[in-house]
Amino acid sequence: MNKKQDLPWDNPRFRNWIALVRAEKAVVAALTKALQPLDLKLAQLDMLMNLYRHPGMSQHDLARKLLVGRSNITMLLPQLETRGLVQRENDAKDKRVMRLTLTDSGEALLMEALAIYNGLIEQVMSQSSPAECDRMGAMMQRITEAMKVE
């Protein structure tokens, strides 16, 4: 038995999976660098985007949406609160639940960050036709579903 036959390098699925992972790392690196002037980290941007789309979300729901533990949210929230970007309020029906909303400053910073993010997306995705972008999105959705990730 030839050991080389057992190695995945020539398998198109393996090769393309590695290409996908490298693309994700390149996007993360480029976006991280682009957000530095705003003093905003990717995890913080993700939180702001979700709170903009779902105002009043609980800390627990935000953690589930971001696929992180509640402790991650608990660590990041004070940073965003100190900067005046997010506010926490007790739920009117259940005082144990904290509801999160963006402040006006948080929304303004998010809009700046989204302009940067959208510019990066346009730069990269303009190399593909709308149909290719749709196929890529469908493939990414299938990968997400296969990995059982929300």
Side-chain angles (χ1 to χ4, degrees):
M1 174 183 269
N2 184 348
K3 281 194 172 199
K4 281 192 170 191
Q5 290 175 340
D6 297 331
L7 297 175
W9 319 133
D10 294 325
N11 178 337
R13 288 183 173 139
F14 182 86
R15 185 174 57 246
N16 289 310
W17 182 265
I18 296 302
L20 170 74
V21 170
R22 286 185 175 154
E24 185 270 341
K25 288 179 184 288
V27 168
V28 167
L31 187 55
T32 297
K33 183 177 180 181
L35 291 174
Q36 283 177 342
L38 301 180
D39 190 26
L40 196 60
K41 303 208 177 343
L42 287 180
Q44 295 169 326
L45 174 60
D46 212 2
M47 288 177 70
L48 296 178
M49 286 191 299
N50 276 279
L51 293 176
Y52 180 81
R53 294 187 71 207
H54 309 285
M57 179 183 274
S58 72
Q59 289 181 222
H60 175 75
D61 289 341
L62 182 59
R64 283 186 44 234
K65 189 89 168 155
L66 298 179
L67 305 173
V68 298
R70 282 186 285 180
S71 61
N72 292 57
I73 300 298
T74 303
M75 288 175 42
L76 288 171
L77 274 176
Q79 299 167 11
L80 296 175
E81 280 182 305
T82 299
R83 290 180 64 185
L85 305 174
V86 172
Q87 60 187 25
R88 286 189 263 195
E89 296 176 354
N90 285 330
D91 184 279
K93 296 176 186 169
D94 185 347
K95 298 295 181 197
R96 297 171 297 172
V97 175
M98 297 299 289
R99 298 285 171 191
L100 307 170
T101 56
L102 292 182
T103 63
D104 290 343
S105 296
E107 189 172 326
L109 182 64
L110 174 61
M111 293 305 132
E112 285 184 67
L114 286 176
I116 292 168
Y117 200 175
N118 195 49
L120 180 63
I121 291 168
E122 286 301 317
Q123 175 187 347
V124 173
M125 297 302 282
S126 66
Q127 300 173 48
S128 303
S129 71
E132 289 172 322
C133 289
D134 287 342
R135 283 193 299 276
M136 186 184 321
M139 177 57 74
M140 295 303 109
Q141 185 60 40
R142 287 198 314 264
I143 289 171
T144 301
E145 290 167 7
M147 301 298 285
K148 295 182 178 24
V149 175
E150 292 184 344

